[in-house]
Amino acid sequence: MVTKRAGGGQPPLLGEVLFEFQRHGNILRVVAIDPKSGTEVIMVADPRQSKTVIQRLAARKLAYVLAKNQAKTQR
């Protein structure tokens, strides 16, 4: 999955992404993990949304965090 972010920077390419879903009442806790770097992001989603949409949003957040971390290391 390739996502573009505002600002024109090149996002990192996401290969495999691991997802974990936990339902807590009327919210869904989603963890997206990049197995190569061990980076993980956590988000809360509406469980009424489709799994595909939730995974896309979590992967997008993961790509943002990876790009942010990559920019920090390049400074």
Side-chain angles (χ1 to χ4, degrees):
M1 169 182 273
V2 176
T3 58
K4 291 188 178 183
R5 61 182 194 134
Q10 187 70 359
L13 295 176
L14 289 179
E16 180 181 22
V17 177
L18 305 175
F19 296 96
E20 178 183 339
F21 298 90
Q22 295 177 349
R23 179 115 186 211
H24 295 282
N26 58 354
I27 64 166
L28 186 65
R29 181 179 184 265
V30 183
V31 181
I33 304 165
D34 174 34
K36 287 184 181 179
S37 67
T39 303
E40 65 179 54
V41 295
I42 300 171
M43 63 175 269
V44 177
D46 183 350
R48 294 176 290 182
Q49 293 294 321
S50 72
K51 188 176 179 181
T52 304
V53 169
I54 294 170
Q55 285 179 325
R56 187 179 318 128
L57 291 172
R60 189 187 215 173
K61 182 175 180 179
L62 180 61
Y64 170 79
V65 170
L66 289 171
K68 191 173 173 182
N69 291 344
Q70 185 180 29
K72 277 185 186 178
T73 59
Q74 289 178 355
R75 287 186 201 170

